[in-house]
Amino acid sequence: MPRLLLAPAGYGKTEKIIQSIRQVLAEQPLAPVIAIVPNMIQAAGFRQRMAASGGTLGVEVHTFHTLYAELLTRAERPIPLLIDPVRIHLLHAIVDDLCQRGEIRHYAGLRNKPGFIAALRNTIEELKRTRILPNDFQSAILGSDVRLGEISQVYSAYQNWLQEQNWADNEGRGWLSAIALESNPTLGIDIRLLTVCGFDEFNPTQLSVLSLLANRAKETLITLTGDIQHPMRPAHHRFHRAQLALANSLHIQPEAMDSLSLLAPAIAQMEKTLFEPGIARNVPGEEAISPVTEDCRAPRNDPGSDIAGIEFLEAQNRPAEARAAMRWVKARIVRNGLALNDIAILVRTLEPYRPYLDEIAAEFGIPLRMVGGQPLEENPAVAALLLLLSLPAKDWPRQSLLEVWRSPYFDRSENAINASEAALLDEISRQGRVESGLSKWREAFELWEKSQVLTGEFGDGPAPKDHGGRVKHAFESFVDLLAPPTHTSTREYVAFVENLIGDDPALTKRPSLKGRGLNAVACARANPSTAERDVAALRAFKDVLRGLVLAESALGEETLSYTDFFADLRGAVEAATFSPPAQVGVMVSSVLDARGLSFQAVALMGLSEGEFPKLEREDILLRESDRVALRERGLPLETRLHGDEATLFYQAATRARQRLLLTRPYLAEDGQPWEASPFWEEIHRLNRNPAVGRVRPEDRLNPAEAASHVEWREATREFDVHMKNGVETLIARIKSIAGGKYEGEMFDLNERFGAAHTWSASRLESYGACPFEFFVAHVLELEPREEPEDGYDVRVLGSMLHKILEEFYSGGKALEVVAQEVFATAPQAYGFRPTPLWGLQQEELLKRLEETVGALAEVSRGYTPLALEAKFGMGAPPLVLKTEAGDVRLHGYIDRVDAAPDGSLRVIDYKSGGAVISAMHLKEGRRLQLPIYAQAAQEALGLGEVSGGFYWHILKAEASSLKLENFEGGIRAAFATAIGHIGRHVVGIRAGHFEPKPPTEGCPSYCPAVNFCWRYKKGF
Ligand code: SF4
């Protein structure tokens, strides 16, 4: 008769199973024993514990899936397993086929959306787990919503395919095992002891196989978390369901396991009282009433404390929380002498913490065992490979090609490509304005060759060496190497990809004769610090390739384009994970994967609102209302909203035997306070609200707590001069107002910008807008490196419009004729590649120019154009202004000067941009051009007295709101304001004051510092 033993968490249930196995084997050393555990992680843990207890040779440790395979083999009915990549492909093919035949309409739009096929797979898996056959499902949904009909069609087609091909998925193997057991009464009869432990739920197939086996094994022992005395404990909610399911299927009554808690007193007390009604429910302001005794209270929140128990720690954000948790882990290893395998870090959802834990563990020198694998596409070697393979599929995009040429994951020596070739390719592509496209790349090489010939003929220096020719040759040989076969089978494409990846030098004695490809594995092995991780990822990538070939042979070979093959490969990689080689280390896992395991010390992280308990969501394909309706029609579909989070938290918190650290971030990503999770509050109350450790950025770390060299240096402030400078720089940069030598206070520039220097209005305006922008653009003379784009940019637009207006007003030709002449030569003259919209853009620009000419004529009634593109300085007399910086010399071109009937002058400056220009901009010293030009017309060029002026917005066909004649105090006041600013700007520049000052409306995109400026402010 099978026995079901119940005991709360931490009472040694696994230990009991191991003792029972040892006892049986002591009497009959070769007796067949089978132990069933929920998953492979627990299987590994179980084997380890058995080995540690003296070894139990010959015991078969299974999950249900491996047990099904074993039973089918013993019954001589082995059946190939449909592995996941093939299953996903099969479902894709079925959905595509049904969509083409018009039998799927509701879900047709979702068929290529990420996650849809995986959701279908999960639904089918659930239907099979609950032993609902396609025909039963089809009958139950008759008359229901069309979307359920479409799911039913996919399920039937999937199941038919499996049966026709004689394949099975894991659930199908479960069904077949049950049938094999039913039809073969001797199967499993030899089992001396069958044990089951670590589960918190059982599905109908598992129960069916288990009840058949349990009745044949001589002895069956099942352990489950529970409490006979308190069967309805909220913390045991999920276990109670499992207990009822076992009792119904196996017809057994639970017994209390005779054992004591193995947990430290504080954790044991928490285990007993967690979520118990009436315990530690505080009324705000009252002393907590708790059964926790003094000796069970949490230790001080001091990593040096050696008292076992529960600690609480809050940190500002996830990275700080991960650092604090890892420091605690290191203290357990160093101070408490715990082995790496004795410690675990658990979180409800691993993803948000994975990168921080990885990075900080590396800094602290703590090896980790991450459970559940890492997303394959995030591995740098695989990401580089996908980028490489995307080149022919996406027609050679510039940025991707440059990254591939610079990637350390490829050996390009056969193509003679190194860093200098990559840099020159970058130059060539910028000059040729290549975004993508093989033909554009080739045009760019031709352009480059021509420009090099011209430089040689007319340049001052010697003709440049023919590096461009070398790069072109390297480019062409790289294109040849990456030329995929055309329209062929997946198998052929996979061979092409494998050839590119190249052999693993660790496995191949002699290099392949068939081309070396790019030696990706050898390159990955070249860096010892990442080699293990990257080689594991590349192996997983090859498994994905094999999965695609297997899927093709299973589904029938068809030809496809390389683009389609690449899309398939990308999708398969996105769905895949990989695990670096198993090693001894601190286990890091989601709470779900750690169920059933136990450790001496556990750090349970992420206990803030919304993280744990996690919000339960209904299934998107089989909604809760569907489930209710289908249950009424006899299908045993359970709700997805079980409310199991409390049980999961109970399981997580009781994984710790001696020490439990609970941590949480107290600020959300947007900087708002983040409330604690109710589970955190619950344990905190149960422990009589002990002090919570808080890690704040401003706190100095005690050097004794430093867990890495970096932390120790920071704590002791034992910095060398470079680090000292770095710290001072950071402190200066996080102050709200910029100032000081690390904030743009430079050096004396009196000589460079002395009295002989001639200024342009735009440079002075640049200083007025942001001194640091002036420094970067005009002192360092850095230019923004823009990505080449087809079509013209704002600067080209401004030049074209200025040119057209200048020629129209000066030449007597019709506007349309002038515009067409300028447009015809614009791509060559201004160096841009027209887009297909260029024709339409010309029409639109001409229309706007006609409007602007009309509107300008309106506001110029009575005025006569006197001068166009009038130059001052640069060979002509400069404007010299008397300012507080002394005489300041200025130069520039005045777009237009008109004479009024009374003989006074009006100055106009054209603007192609639409940004508003108001009197405020002049008052702030950011717009100085107009008053400078007005004074230049009057004083430097001697054209007469200026009485007004404005900026003219060409595309808006209107004047700016800033008009010199309307400035407060009149045009003289406008001149005085400008002179005041010019003097202050020049004094500031000469003294080297270049503090960043982001404009209130945000930093302009043309500022060359936008990509690195620490004060950058996004525009509205
Ligand atoms: S990014 Fe903004 S703050 Fe920085 S230099 Fe440019 S304009 Fe100034």
Side-chain angles (χ1 to χ4, degrees):
M1 178 74 177
R3 291 178 69 199
L4 171 60
L5 302 183
L6 294 193
Y11 274 64
K13 292 184 288 297
T14 309
E15 202 50 47
K16 169 80 181 169
I17 294 276
I18 290 174
Q19 278 171 15
S20 305
I21 293 174
R22 286 182 61 76
Q23 209 172 341
V24 164
L25 293 180
E27 290 161 13
Q28 290 173 260
L30 297 178
V33 175
I34 288 183
I36 309 176
V37 293
N39 55 42
M40 298 308 282
I41 302 158
Q42 291 196 29
F46 191 85
R47 285 190 194 101
Q48 253 175 22
R49 287 180 69 170
M50 285 201 307
S53 75
T56 40
L57 198 67
V59 177
E60 289 182 39
V61 183
H62 282 294
T63 65
F64 269 106
H65 287 167
T66 60
L67 178 70
Y68 298 154
E70 175 63 23
L71 287 173
L72 289 172
T73 307
R74 286 192 194 183
E76 295 179 357
R77 295 183 194 176
I79 185 162
L81 176 69
L82 186 74
I83 57 171
D84 207 45
V86 183
R87 180 157 53 155
I88 291 283
H89 255 75
L90 173 63
L91 285 170
H92 247 305
I94 290 171
V95 170
D96 282 348
D97 181 48
L98 289 171
C99 285
Q100 271 161 21
R101 288 199 272 126
E103 289 175 31
I104 284 191
R105 291 174 194 274
H106 181 83
Y107 286 118
L110 289 183
R111 71 201 235 209
N112 290 321
K113 295 277 181 260
F116 175 65
I117 296 293
L120 261 179
R121 172 199 60 193
N122 296 346
T123 298
I124 290 175
E125 216 169 73
E126 185 185 354
L127 291 171
K128 293 190 77 167
R129 265 200 312 269
T130 35
R131 313 194 86 189
I132 298 172
L133 295 169
N135 287 345
D136 298 339
F137 188 62
Q138 205 170 15
S139 327
I141 57 148
L142 277 180
S144 305
D145 207 339
V146 63
R147 60 194 168 75
L148 293 180
E150 293 184 357
I151 294 171
S152 166
Q153 297 227 45
V154 177
Y155 183 25
S156 299
Y158 171 79
Q159 204 51 30
N160 285 344
W161 187 92
L162 286 180
Q163 280 165 2
E164 279 163 18
Q165 305 296 323
N166 197 28
W167 282 38
D169 53 21
N170 270 317
E171 297 312 322
R173 279 180 165 188
W175 290 5
L176 295 172
S177 317
I179 292 168
L181 282 165
E182 278 160 7
S183 60
N184 182 351
T186 60
L187 186 59
I189 201 103
D190 57 330
I191 301 172
R192 167 66 185 81
L193 174 62
L194 174 68
T195 70
V196 180
C197 71
F199 285 82
D200 57 6
E201 64 176 356
F202 295 93
N203 66 48
T205 308
Q206 290 170 339
L207 288 169
S208 159
V209 169
L210 186 57
S211 61
L212 286 161
L213 269 187
N215 285 326
R216 293 179 195 183
K218 296 219 166 28
E219 191 183 344
T220 298
L221 198 56
I222 304 169
T223 58
L224 190 66
T225 299
D227 189 342
I228 293 265
Q229 304 298 324
H230 306 285
M232 303 310 287
R233 274 195 66 181
H236 293 170
H237 183 65
R238 187 176 167 96
F239 297 112
H240 191 65
R241 271 205 324 272
Q243 183 195 320
L244 291 181
L246 281 173
N248 285 340
S249 300
L250 277 74
H251 311 292
I252 44 176
Q253 286 307 314
E255 307 164 35
M257 196 176 96
D258 181 20
S259 60
L260 296 171
S261 176
L262 304 174
L263 306 176
I267 301 174
Q269 194 67 23
M270 178 272 296
E271 183 284 313
K272 271 200 187 79
T273 52
L274 191 63
F275 304 126
E276 286 304 284
I279 291 181
R281 299 277 169 222
N282 296 359
V283 176
E286 284 183 11
E287 177 73 5
I289 302 162
S290 163
V292 180
T293 54
E294 272 308 312
D295 62 336
C296 295
R297 292 189 52 182
R300 288 177 300 128
N301 275 297
D302 167 8
S305 165
D306 285 328
I307 309 168
I310 305 174
E311 296 166 72
F312 297 82
L313 216 155
E314 294 176 330
Q316 192 188 22
N317 48 31
R318 290 189 208 270
E321 184 194 1
R323 179 168 288 274
M326 202 62 80
R327 187 176 302 109
W328 181 87
V329 166
K330 189 147 187 179
R332 304 291 65 82
I333 297 165
V334 175
R335 297 189 177 162
N336 301 125
L338 294 188
L340 295 171
N341 285 345
D342 287 337
I343 307 173
I345 298 174
L346 307 182
V347 274
R348 178 68 181 88
T349 311
L350 189 50
E351 283 322 308
Y353 284 95
R354 185 197 296 277
Y356 305 124
L357 290 169
D358 247 344
E359 186 183 320
I360 296 162
E363 181 192 321
F364 285 10
I366 300 176
L368 296 183
R369 273 187 303 139
M370 286 264 184
V371 173
Q374 301 178 14
L376 185 56
E377 62 175 333
E378 286 178 15
N379 173 263
V382 172
L385 255 180
L386 286 177
L387 200 66
L388 173 91
L389 298 172
S390 75
L391 293 175
K394 296 188 175 169
D395 201 11
W396 298 88
R398 171 182 172 276
Q399 199 54 46
S400 305
L401 176 60
L402 288 172
E403 280 178 41
V404 166
W405 274 30
R406 289 172 173 143
S407 169
Y409 287 106
F410 305 120
D411 168 11
R412 294 162 301 261
S413 53
E414 279 217 338
N415 309 91
I417 296 168
N418 58 29
S420 70
E421 264 72 35
L424 191 51
L425 187 74
D426 190 358
E427 264 327 291
I428 292 171
S429 60
R430 279 175 199 279
Q431 184 190 301
R433 295 189 166 258
V434 180
E435 274 184 275
S436 63
L438 265 186
S439 57
K440 287 187 185 169
W441 277 105
R442 287 173 177 143
E443 264 173 48
F445 283 116
E446 276 174 31
L447 265 175
W448 179 263
E449 275 166 23
K450 280 185 197 153
S451 72
Q452 295 305 291
V453 172
L454 287 175
T455 312
E457 283 177 7
F458 303 112
D460 296 333
K465 290 182 193 158
D466 184 26
H467 287 319
R470 245 177 37 211
V471 174
K472 184 181 172 190
H473 184 259
F475 173 83
E476 292 296 352
S477 78
F478 197 67
V479 169
D480 285 348
L481 178 71
L482 252 72
T486 45
H487 231 82
T488 184
S489 63
T490 296
R491 181 182 299 276
E492 290 295 318
Y493 286 124
V494 165
F496 160 73
V497 174
E498 293 210 312
N499 197 38
L500 277 180
I501 296 172
D503 297 328
D504 182 347
L507 306 176
T508 325
K509 287 207 177 99
R510 277 184 304 158
S512 158
L513 297 175
K514 196 188 154 197
R516 290 197 298 134
L518 290 164
N519 280 331
V521 191
C523 293
R525 285 194 181 280
N527 182 348
S529 62
T530 52
E532 271 198 351
R533 176 200 71 186
D534 289 343
V535 171
L538 287 172
R539 286 197 178 135
F541 184 82
K542 289 198 168 195
D543 286 344
V544 168
L545 291 174
R546 277 189 275 279
L548 291 178
V549 173
L550 193 55
E552 184 183 57
S553 31
L555 300 174
E557 194 171 300
E558 274 184 17
T559 59
L560 68 169
S561 69
Y562 178 73
T563 312
D564 288 343
F565 163 75
F566 179 69
D568 282 355
L569 174 62
R570 196 147 207 120
V573 170
E574 277 167 7
T577 57
F578 77 103
S579 301
Q583 53 180 340
V584 174
V586 170
M587 180 166 141
V588 177
S589 120
S590 78
V591 162
L592 291 178
D593 285 329
R595 289 173 293 172
L597 302 172
S598 62
F599 305 87
Q600 293 304 312
V602 169
L604 180 53
M605 299 176 62
L607 292 174
S608 286
E609 176 107 59
E611 296 275 293
F612 200 180
K614 203 171 151 184
L615 193 65
E616 287 186 318
R617 294 180 197 282
E618 71 170 357
D619 183 31
I620 54 162
L621 296 182
L622 282 181
R623 300 173 191 162
E624 285 305 302
S625 53
D626 299 333
R627 288 166 188 268
V628 172
L630 293 171
R631 273 200 298 274
E632 281 165 7
R633 296 179 186 189
L635 297 191
L637 275 171
E638 285 192 2
T639 171
R640 277 293 182 89
L641 313 178
H642 281 306
D644 281 344
E645 289 292 299
T647 306
L648 295 177
F649 182 71
Y650 167 89
Q651 286 176 283
T654 52
R655 294 312 88 211
R657 292 241 162 132
Q658 292 299 311
R659 303 189 65 124
L660 173 65
L661 173 71
L662 304 174
T663 69
R664 74 178 202 91
Y666 62 81
L667 289 183
E669 272 168 22
D670 60 2
Q672 296 299 312
W674 198 351
E675 294 299 314
S677 136
F679 293 166
W680 164 286
E681 302 283 11
E682 175 77 359
I683 294 203
H684 197 235
R685 276 195 296 268
L686 289 175
N687 281 270
R688 287 185 168 185
N689 303 320
V692 173
R694 187 169 260 230
V695 182
R696 292 171 304 183
E698 62 272 25
D699 292 342
R700 290 270 303 270
L701 180 68
N702 177 350
E705 300 304 324
S708 70
H709 190 63
V710 176
E711 281 200 340
W712 183 82
R713 278 207 173 261
E714 203 182 311
T716 55
R717 308 240 151 186
E718 284 284 321
F719 300 145
D720 64 14
V721 66
H722 304 294
M723 284 182 90
K724 261 201 185 92
N725 291 347
V727 170
E728 283 173 23
T729 313
L730 261 180
I731 290 170
R733 287 182 182 176
I734 54 184
K735 284 194 177 148
S736 55
I737 296 177
K741 67 175 178 178
Y742 298 110
E743 277 284 274
E745 290 270 344
M746 299 289 163
F747 27 74
D748 186 2
L749 290 170
N750 261 304
E751 208 175 309
R752 180 159 167 195
F753 295 107
H757 188 81
T758 312
W759 298 89
S760 71
S762 60
R763 290 207 176 177
L764 291 168
E765 285 182 342
S766 147
Y767 186 81
C770 174
F772 193 64
E773 183 202 338
F774 174 90
F775 172 72
V776 175
H778 306 300
V779 179
L780 298 181
E781 297 180 355
L782 297 181
E783 288 176 11
R785 288 202 102 188
E786 286 160 3
E787 287 304 302
E789 276 179 16
D790 282 352
Y792 53 80
D793 61 17
V794 281
R795 278 169 299 192
V796 170
L797 176 65
S799 302
M800 287 193 297
L801 296 178
H802 273 71
K803 179 92 178 147
I804 292 168
L805 289 178
E806 184 198 342
E807 294 201 355
F808 168 65
Y809 284 118
S810 62
K813 288 189 201 167
L815 180 65
E816 192 178 347
V817 174
V818 175
Q820 277 167 359
E821 283 172 3
V822 172
F823 289 148
T825 55
Q828 292 78 32
Y830 300 109
F832 68 91
R833 194 190 293 277
T835 66
L837 295 176
W838 177 223
L840 287 175
Q841 285 168 330
Q842 291 177 49
E843 282 174 26
E844 179 64 22
L845 289 174
L846 180 60
K847 204 167 127 217
R848 297 291 194 90
L849 281 163
E850 283 167 353
E851 284 165 11
T852 223
V853 165
L856 198 48
E858 272 300 304
V859 297
S860 300
R861 267 180 217 271
Y863 283 85
T864 317
L866 185 67
L868 298 169
E869 292 289 307
K871 181 168 79 170
F872 60 99
M874 300 178 291
L879 171 66
V880 182
L881 292 176
K882 298 216 169 298
T883 72
E884 66 177 86
D887 282 357
V888 173
R889 299 159 69 82
L890 294 124
H891 67 253
Y893 287 93
I894 309 169
D895 285 337
R896 173 167 163 167
V897 183
D898 289 351
D902 65 359
S904 66
L905 304 181
R906 181 182 71 174
V907 171
I908 300 176
D909 187 64
Y910 299 140
K911 290 282 172 226
S912 51
V916 172
I917 305 176
S918 69
M920 183 55 67
H921 293 106
L922 171 52
K923 285 182 191 160
E924 290 173 352
R926 295 159 59 189
R927 289 286 183 184
L928 303 171
Q929 199 174 19
L930 202 55
I932 289 174
Y933 286 9
Q935 291 177 85
Q938 193 172 281
E939 291 162 24
L941 302 181
L943 295 175
E945 187 171 331
V946 177
S947 60
F950 51 76
Y951 293 99
W952 182 258
H953 295 293
I954 303 172
L955 296 177
K956 284 162 91 181
E958 65 180 28
S960 61
S961 86
L962 169 62
K963 296 195 179 58
L964 291 178
E965 61 276 23
N966 296 342
F967 193 75
E968 211 177 309
I971 193 164
R972 299 290 141 213
F975 289 169
T977 304
I979 290 169
H981 282 304
I982 292 166
R984 283 189 291 280
H985 290 357
V986 173
V987 167
I989 291 167
R990 286 179 182 158
H993 295 314
F994 299 117
E995 72 285 357
K997 196 173 76 184
T1000 39
E1001 63 274 19
C1003 298
S1005 59
Y1006 55 76
C1007 170
V1010 284
N1011 287 328
F1012 59 82
C1013 176
W1014 54 96
R1015 299 260 178 199
Y1016 170 76
K1017 182 175 161 194
K1018 200 166 181 295
F1020 303 113

XYZ file of all heavy atoms in Angstrom, residues 42-43 70 114 128 210 262 275 326 330 338 424 427 470 487 585 656 662 700 704 759 863 890 937 953 958 965 993 999:
246
model
N 16.351 19.308 -9.536
C 16.168 18.524 -8.308
C 16.763 17.128 -8.447
O 17.247 16.555 -7.469
C 14.690 18.441 -7.970
C 14.167 19.794 -7.546
C 12.843 19.684 -6.836
O 12.568 18.672 -6.198
N 12.047 20.719 -6.925
N 16.744 16.610 -9.671
C 17.356 15.283 -9.871
C 18.847 15.357 -9.542
O 19.392 14.487 -8.845
C 17.131 14.817 -11.305
N 11.590 5.713 -20.053
C 12.109 4.457 -19.518
C 11.026 3.356 -19.573
O 11.291 2.220 -19.968
C 12.580 4.690 -18.065
C 13.033 3.467 -17.309
C 14.271 2.822 -17.940
O 15.000 3.540 -18.655
O 14.475 1.603 -17.730
N 5.685 37.513 -32.090
C 6.483 36.765 -31.114
C 5.603 36.217 -29.999
O 4.724 36.906 -29.512
C 7.453 37.825 -30.554
C 7.299 39.037 -31.392
C 6.052 38.906 -32.207
N -3.182 18.279 -23.312
C -2.695 16.894 -23.250
C -2.420 16.458 -21.812
O -2.702 15.315 -21.443
C -1.432 16.756 -24.117
C -1.736 16.933 -25.602
C -0.583 16.583 -26.490
C -0.438 15.084 -26.635
N 0.498 14.753 -27.737
N 1.454 7.189 -11.949
C 1.883 6.949 -10.570
C 0.984 5.922 -9.887
O 1.463 5.013 -9.201
C 1.859 8.284 -9.810
C 2.410 8.281 -8.403
C 3.858 7.793 -8.386
C 2.354 9.702 -7.814
N 14.347 21.086 10.919
C 15.798 21.217 10.790
C 16.205 22.677 10.607
O 17.369 22.979 10.348
C 16.290 20.411 9.572
C 15.917 18.933 9.566
C 16.338 18.289 8.256
C 16.585 18.211 10.741
N 1.580 33.509 7.312
C 0.219 33.631 6.755
C -0.865 33.016 7.638
O -1.977 32.803 7.175
C 0.130 33.009 5.347
C 1.111 33.582 4.380
C 1.982 32.775 3.671
C 1.176 34.958 4.183
C 2.894 33.309 2.777
C 2.088 35.505 3.283
C 2.947 34.680 2.583
N 25.018 40.235 -2.731
C 26.238 39.495 -3.050
C 27.285 39.691 -1.949
O 28.056 38.780 -1.645
C 26.773 39.970 -4.402
C 27.667 38.984 -5.087
S 26.862 37.419 -5.501
C 26.003 37.860 -6.975
N 29.093 36.800 0.187
C 30.545 36.665 0.367
C 30.881 36.558 1.859
O 31.761 35.783 2.259
C 31.264 37.856 -0.255
C 32.772 37.641 -0.271
C 33.423 38.273 -1.465
C 34.891 37.905 -1.545
N 35.547 38.480 -2.694
N 30.779 28.820 4.801
C 29.849 27.997 4.016
C 30.454 27.684 2.651
O 31.176 28.507 2.070
C 28.523 28.735 3.815
C 27.671 28.994 5.060
C 26.315 29.559 4.659
C 27.457 27.704 5.847
N 38.761 52.748 -42.627
C 38.681 53.358 -43.953
C 37.330 53.052 -44.603
O 36.741 53.910 -45.277
C 39.838 52.856 -44.822
C 40.034 53.614 -46.133
C 40.107 55.112 -45.915
C 41.304 53.152 -46.820
N 34.979 55.574 -43.438
C 35.159 56.849 -44.137
C 34.521 56.805 -45.510
O 33.791 57.716 -45.914
C 36.667 57.109 -44.339
C 37.364 57.991 -43.326
C 36.506 59.090 -42.762
O 36.129 60.047 -43.455
O 36.206 58.956 -41.576
N 42.605 48.521 -51.649
C 42.746 47.336 -50.797
C 41.444 47.025 -50.069
O 41.011 45.879 -49.969
C 43.857 47.590 -49.774
C 45.015 46.665 -49.973
C 46.147 46.903 -49.058
N 45.799 47.275 -47.712
C 46.542 48.068 -46.964
N 47.660 48.572 -47.465
N 46.206 48.367 -45.739
N 17.893 30.067 -52.995
C 16.687 29.242 -52.997
C 16.980 27.751 -52.873
O 16.881 26.991 -53.834
C 15.881 29.522 -54.269
C 14.477 29.815 -53.877
N 14.078 31.062 -53.452
C 13.397 28.999 -53.759
C 12.811 31.010 -53.117
N 12.374 29.785 -53.288
N 29.171 26.461 -7.618
C 28.939 27.888 -7.450
C 27.694 28.134 -6.635
O 26.955 27.198 -6.295
N 15.872 28.149 3.184
C 17.044 28.457 4.022
C 16.967 27.660 5.305
O 15.946 27.682 5.999
C 17.062 29.944 4.346
N 16.353 38.779 3.387
C 15.291 39.281 2.513
C 15.720 40.669 2.046
O 16.090 41.518 2.868
C 13.963 39.372 3.274
C 13.498 38.073 3.910
C 12.261 38.297 4.768
C 13.175 37.044 2.836
N 29.073 55.744 3.407
C 30.430 55.239 3.167
C 30.484 53.780 3.590
O 29.977 53.425 4.652
C 31.453 56.031 3.993
C 31.663 57.460 3.537
C 32.783 57.547 2.497
N 34.045 57.030 2.948
C 34.967 57.769 3.553
N 34.742 59.053 3.800
N 36.124 57.248 3.901
N 35.950 47.110 6.179
C 35.917 45.691 6.566
C 34.838 44.924 5.806
O 34.866 43.702 5.729
C 35.672 45.580 8.065
N 35.347 87.455 -35.523
C 34.270 86.566 -35.064
C 33.129 86.533 -36.079
O 32.873 87.527 -36.752
C 33.699 87.077 -33.734
C 34.693 87.107 -32.625
C 35.518 88.142 -32.304
C 34.966 86.056 -31.720
N 36.304 87.805 -31.229
C 35.975 86.513 -30.846
C 34.472 84.767 -31.540
C 36.488 85.742 -29.829
C 34.976 84.006 -30.519
C 35.976 84.475 -29.668
N 9.706 99.226 -50.412
C 11.159 99.017 -50.177
C 11.840 98.636 -51.492
O 11.234 97.983 -52.350
C 11.386 97.893 -49.165
C 11.127 98.313 -47.724
C 9.850 98.276 -47.187
C 12.185 98.735 -46.915
C 9.616 98.644 -45.873
C 11.946 99.103 -45.592
C 10.667 99.059 -45.075
O 10.435 99.425 -43.783
N 34.232 91.590 -36.395
C 33.228 90.598 -36.833
C 33.156 90.530 -38.357
O 33.421 91.525 -39.044
C 31.852 90.977 -36.287
C 31.753 90.887 -34.775
C 31.296 92.203 -34.180
C 30.829 89.766 -34.371
N 25.922 96.711 -41.773
C 25.428 97.437 -42.955
C 25.666 98.933 -42.792
O 26.059 99.647 -43.722
C 23.940 97.145 -43.139
N 11.465 83.636 -42.084
C 11.329 82.175 -42.108
C 10.844 81.774 -43.501
O 9.670 81.967 -43.827
C 10.333 81.718 -41.045
C 10.793 82.001 -39.649
N 11.869 81.367 -39.086
C 10.342 82.874 -38.706
C 12.053 81.810 -37.850
N 11.145 82.733 -37.594
N 7.014 83.935 -43.376
C 6.658 85.005 -42.421
C 7.915 85.524 -41.727
O 8.955 84.848 -41.670
C 5.661 84.489 -41.386
C 6.238 83.411 -40.497
C 5.253 82.893 -39.467
O 4.039 82.932 -39.707
O 5.735 82.428 -38.408
N 13.165 97.112 -34.893
C 12.491 98.396 -34.637
C 11.516 98.303 -33.477
O 11.170 99.294 -32.862
C 11.789 98.895 -35.919
C 10.705 97.985 -36.492
C 11.250 96.870 -37.400
O 12.429 96.514 -37.266
O 10.473 96.349 -38.215
N 35.913 79.931 -19.912
C 34.705 79.494 -19.182
C 33.776 78.777 -20.159
O 33.135 79.428 -20.987
C 33.959 80.703 -18.584
C 34.745 81.418 -17.540
N 35.427 80.782 -16.526
C 34.955 82.745 -17.345
C 36.031 81.669 -15.759
N 35.775 82.876 -16.243
N 20.131 74.393 -23.283
C 19.050 75.352 -23.534
C 17.732 74.870 -22.928
O 17.506 73.654 -22.848
C 18.958 75.397 -25.063
C 20.259 74.865 -25.556
C 20.737 73.901 -24.520
